[in-house]
Each structure stands twice: as C-alpha cells, then as structure tokens.
C-alpha cells in the first residue's frame, strides 16, 4: 500500500500512519528543509526503507497517475492559494475509489467561543469538482 502525504512538513503524521498501517509513505512538501527533516525522522524511526520524500508543489508532485492507494493532508489545504489545482493533483495520483483524508481549520470571527473552530464548507465545491465524494466526520 502506498500513502501520499501532501504538505508533509517534517513528516510526523504521515510517518505515524505508515508505522501503524505498514504502508509505504511518499511525503510531498515545497520545503527542502522540511523534507530533509522528514527523511531524518524516518531514519530515526526505522522507516527509511518504507518512506521517501519529494520536494515539490502539492499541485505538481511528479508522482505517477493512479500510483497511490490513499492520500492525506494535515492542516494544510486551507492555506494553499491554489486549492483546486492541489485537489486535482490528489485525485490524479489516487487509484479509483482510494480515500483522501485531510484535516482543516479556519478561523471564525464571533467571539472567544468561536475563534479557531473548524469548517471545511468552502472546500466542498472544490472537492466535488475534483471528483471526490465528500464525507464529513
């Protein structure tokens, strides 16, 4: 099984999932520093043979079509200026019916009880146009 972590940063969440599932991990991040740190973390955890990291824009990863069994992204999609292009890239690299799991947050105005509450409503149309079936949890 191959898992792609879009905007993997230093690799923490993707490495955690790979360690627990036995998946091979491909981490993608625009930061060469983050990718170096992720590779070192993989080595430190004994996952170097199952994890590789790529310096690339999340909208142009260079990964093969339908090369991934699952994809993830933790708290990053909402920060990307080209969300639609990123979601199209996620769809391109995923095999048919493969899951894309992500987390997101969006600051909400309205007082101390609502600041930082999460919503992904603005992403729903972009996900649907990219061919994803949206399931909320």
């Amino acid at each position: 099984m191959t898992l792609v972590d879009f905007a993997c940063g230093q690799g923490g969440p993707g490495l955690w999932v790979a360690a627990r599932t036995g998946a091979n991990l491909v981490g993608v991040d625009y930061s060469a520093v983050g990718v170096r740190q992720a590779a070192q973390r993989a080595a430190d955890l004994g996952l170097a043979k199952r994890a590789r990291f790529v310096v690339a824009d999340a909208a142009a990863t260079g990964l093969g079509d339908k090369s991934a069994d699952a994809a993830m992204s933790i708290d990053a999609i909402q920060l990307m200026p080209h969300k639609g292009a990123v979601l199209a890239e996620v769809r391109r690299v995923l095999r048919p019916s493969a899951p894309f799991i992500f987390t997101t947050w969006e600051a909400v105005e309205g007082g101390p009880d609502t600041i930082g509450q999460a919503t992904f409503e603005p992403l729903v149309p972009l996900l649907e146009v990219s061919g994803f079936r949206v399931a909320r949890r």
Side-chain angles (χ1 to χ4, degrees), residues 2 15 27 54 79 90-92 100 103:
T2 298
L15 288 166
V54 178
L79 301 173
V90 173
R91 171 52 57 213
R92 184 188 69 76
F100 172 46
T103 62

Side-chain angles (χ1 to χ4, degrees), residues 26-111:
V26 179
V28 178
D29 202 277
Y30 72 93
S31 170
V33 172
V35 164
R36 278 194 306 274
Q37 292 172 341
Q40 182 60 55
R41 182 173 279 168
D44 293 346
L45 294 170
L47 296 172
K49 291 183 180 180
R50 289 196 291 122
R52 72 180 176 99
F53 299 91
V54 178
V55 177
D57 186 301
T61 63
L63 301 176
D65 291 354
K66 298 176 178 56
S67 60
D69 299 293
M72 63 182 280
S73 185
I74 303 300
D75 292 344
I77 298 289
Q78 76 282 357
L79 301 173
M80 297 179 185
H82 55 332
K83 295 168 190 60
V86 171
L87 294 171
E89 180 71 353
V90 173
R91 171 52 57 213
R92 184 188 69 76
V93 304
L94 283 174
R95 291 188 174 96
S97 301
F100 172 46
I101 307 298
F102 70 97
T103 62
T104 186
W105 58 266
E106 182 176 59
V108 178
E109 293 183 32

Side-chain angles (χ1 to χ4, degrees), residues 118-136:
T119 179
F120 83 168
E121 289 306 319
L123 294 174
V124 170
L126 295 173
L127 287 159
E128 290 172 341
V129 164
S130 297
F132 289 100
R133 181 180 56 82
V134 177
R136 296 178 180 99

